[in-house]
Amino acid sequence: MSGQSAESLAAQARAAEDGAVDEALALVNEARAADGRGAGRSGGAGSGTGRPGHGSAEGARRTGPVTPTGHTGHPDPAHNSTSSSHRTDSRHQAAPWSAARAVAGRAGRAAAALRGGAAERRVPLDRALGLTLAEPLAALSDLPSFDTSAMDGWVVAGPGPWDVRAEGILAGEDRPEPLSDGEAVQIATGARVPRDATAVIRSEHGRTDDKGRLFALRDVGHGQDIRPRGQECRSGDQLLPNGALVTPAVLGLAAAAGYDELLTVTRPKAEVFVLGDELLTEGLPREGLIRDALGPMLPPWLRALGAEVTSVRRLGDDPKSLLKAVRASNADLIVTTGGTASGPVDHVHPTLSGVDAELLVDGVAVRPGHPMLLARTKERQHLVGLPGNPLAAVSGLLTLAEPLLGILAGRPEQEPYTVPLQGAVHGHPHDTRLVPVVVRGDVAVPLRYNGPAMLRGIAAADGLAVVAPGGAKAGREVEILDLPWSWSPTGGDGGYGAAERCFT
């Protein structure tokens, strides 16, 4: 723990998160003042399923339904009607989208401070894919560690023609015999070049006569097609910085540089609680029941964001089961699906009251995904409540879960970038919109199927465009949120062919 007590780290983390929330709420109030939507306004896009007192720092940090006198209560989650009536009757302003993301990131930093040195471990190369380096990757040897042939052919010494030795040099031979001027020997790619060699002549650039002499078919430059020792790096050179994501190429580089293990940031643990009695796990939708899309989608998505998903539990619409599951969870992040609004079976808010949680984000001014939430349920644990509609849940993942998990997983913060829209996008009067797009060349192409319950658009997308209130005309620069597996195809039927049929 680098000399600091757990209590000291906990205090620092709490102070950091308290400051983060206050700062984010100041941003919220500033944004509202700027667009004329003050805390006293009722109705409109910023109202809806609210929480009393949410317009102030005090209100945002209350852990239970607020009584008419301003006190905080903690009713049994099974009795949802009382808390629902308070939410429905009260005025509520959702947090601006950028402020909500800021709160999530700062909550992640506070939790990461509490994890301390325990967040790092050495893992074998075959288990490091997708993790984050916890220290710079420095070369353990020169690369290459000896002069090597870059091509199949002949290695020669001095000017030609050259007398060719009978036995060639293969990769893996330790110390081949040195060459004298006028000598050549066949050599394989990657083989060690003998001492005093001048160059390597590629197989297609030389010929031998019936006396075993080699003639070059083009000019031979000194050192051509020889990879000199240390050409790529010298021992001790930094190859990658702390925080780099371990990709397949990084695994190859680490192995080449002499590593068997890597010091990595431990993946934060996540649990998924799927809520809803109407969900089927197999077969076709029938008789008012629908297939569960989030149960299969969320675990791999969370893994792509850097989490280790320890369990996926289907709890239905049972408030007691939800409360018991949240209390028993030891995950760094709990993700729930549905139940974040104020309907008769929306049990997330009462459950948060039941565990004395701190509600950090309670609704976000974004479409889809307006009723998403973020709470601190334990000192080192957070809960992200996702809406039940699939694309709205994706919006919640990228707004609240991704910034928090990115910090806990040690991933570097991605620099935002913008791309002009190929077509116009309708906006919401007051809220940000997240719209699935594909990025083709230097433009973002909006996808047609972007309703809250639709996955067809996001399945063809490689990002979400952040569209400001009021919409955006064609050619307008918009921020793009990359999906964690986004890719850059080259066009044609193997590229965007399938996605293009979803346009218009």
Side-chain angles (χ1 to χ4, degrees):
M1 298 290 286
S2 66
Q4 286 187 290
S5 67
E7 292 80 3
S8 174
L9 284 171
Q12 292 177 21
R14 282 193 298 270
E17 186 162 316
D18 289 346
V21 171
D22 291 341
E23 182 178 347
L25 286 168
L27 291 173
V28 172
N29 292 331
E30 181 179 337
R32 288 175 184 155
D35 66 13
R37 290 181 291 137
R41 175 174 175 171
S42 61
S47 58
T49 59
R51 243 16 111 246
H54 186 77
S56 66
E58 178 187 1
R61 297 178 61 82
R62 285 173 177 153
T63 59
V66 180
T67 67
T69 59
H71 295 90
T72 302
H74 303 290
D76 183 341
H79 297 88
N80 194 39
S81 58
T82 302
S83 57
S84 294
S85 64
H86 281 297
R87 291 197 299 275
T88 305
D89 294 342
S90 61
R91 295 175 178 178
H92 173 64
Q93 289 283 319
W97 177 77
S98 58
R101 278 176 61 88
V103 170
R106 290 162 187 156
R109 280 190 282 276
L114 290 172
R115 297 178 76 193
E120 301 173 358
R121 64 175 177 176
R122 293 195 178 274
V123 297
L125 292 185
D126 62 0
R127 293 173 51 200
L129 183 65
L131 300 179
T132 304
L133 294 179
E135 64 181 1
L137 186 73
L140 301 180
S141 69
D142 296 344
L143 282 182
S145 55
F146 46 79
D147 293 351
T148 62
S149 175
M151 293 289 171
D152 292 333
W154 298 270
V155 58
V156 301
W162 302 270
D163 294 324
V164 181
R165 289 181 182 175
E167 295 184 1
I169 304 172
L170 300 177
E173 291 188 24
D174 184 16
R175 294 184 181 275
E177 290 295 321
L179 293 174
S180 300
D181 281 356
E183 284 190 314
V185 62
Q186 281 192 305
I187 193 167
T189 301
R192 186 168 188 161
V193 170
R195 195 173 68 247
D196 300 327
T198 300
V200 169
I201 299 175
R202 302 182 186 191
S203 298
E204 63 270 26
H205 295 167
R207 65 174 179 84
T208 57
D209 62 13
D210 54 1
K211 296 180 181 179
R213 289 185 302 173
L214 172 67
F215 295 84
L217 301 180
R218 58 180 62 187
D219 291 341
V220 178
H222 188 84
Q224 76 176 28
D225 288 329
I226 294 176
R227 291 189 65 206
R229 176 175 181 168
Q231 181 188 54
E232 187 169 0
C233 66
R234 290 291 184 180
S235 179
D237 286 353
Q238 180 175 313
L239 306 178
L240 290 169
N242 178 36
L245 184 66
V246 180
T247 64
V250 170
L251 292 176
L253 176 63
Y259 285 85
D260 300 316
E261 297 179 325
L262 294 174
L263 183 66
T264 61
V265 178
T266 304
R267 285 180 179 270
K269 291 180 169 55
E271 279 195 283
V272 178
F273 298 155
V274 180
L275 312 181
D277 291 337
E278 76 281 12
L279 302 177
L280 296 169
T281 59
E282 60 183 12
L284 295 174
R286 63 181 186 273
E287 299 170 354
L289 303 178
I290 60 173
R291 280 295 298 270
D292 170 29
L294 298 182
M297 182 177 75
L298 290 180
W301 201 308
L302 291 168
R303 293 186 192 103
L305 295 178
E308 174 190 346
V309 179
T310 58
S311 70
V312 179
R313 299 179 58 185
R314 302 178 186 278
L315 303 179
D317 290 318
D318 184 347
K320 292 182 178 179
S321 295
L322 178 58
L323 178 61
K324 182 178 179 181
V326 171
R327 282 177 172 165
S329 176
N330 291 317
D332 298 291
L333 177 66
I334 298 170
V335 177
T336 63
T337 68
T340 57
S342 52
V345 291
D346 291 333
H347 304 303
V348 174
H349 282 98
T351 296
L352 295 176
S353 298
V355 298
D356 294 326
E358 293 185 50
L359 200 53
L360 305 179
V361 175
D362 187 14
V364 178
V366 66
R367 305 296 169 129
H370 186 269
M372 67 181 74
L373 61 83
L374 170 65
R376 183 166 64 183
T377 48
K378 295 177 184 176
E379 191 169 56
R380 290 175 47 181
Q381 182 186 79
H382 290 81
L383 182 147
V384 169
L386 302 177
N389 277 326
L391 188 56
V394 169
S395 175
L397 278 176
L398 296 182
T399 302
L400 298 177
E402 181 178 20
L404 189 149
L405 287 174
I407 298 296
L408 291 179
R411 296 186 173 183
E413 187 174 352
Q414 297 298 312
E415 290 293 329
Y417 71 97
T418 62
V419 176
L421 285 169
Q422 185 176 25
V425 175
H426 294 295
H428 188 275
H430 307 296
D431 295 353
T432 299
R433 280 194 70 201
L434 301 182
V435 179
V437 295
V438 290
V439 180
R440 179 191 295 163
D442 58 355
V443 296
V445 183
L447 293 170
R448 174 181 177 183
Y449 299 97
N450 53 39
M454 296 180 177
L455 286 175
R456 185 173 173 180
I458 196 68
D462 54 18
L464 288 171
V466 181
V467 179
K473 296 179 180 179
R476 175 75 176 272
E477 295 270 346
V478 293
E479 181 181 351
I480 302 296
L481 302 178
D482 284 332
L483 301 182
W485 52 85
S486 60
W487 52 292
S488 298
T490 57
D493 291 341
Y496 285 126
E500 286 179 309
R501 292 191 290 272
C502 297
F503 296 167
T504 72

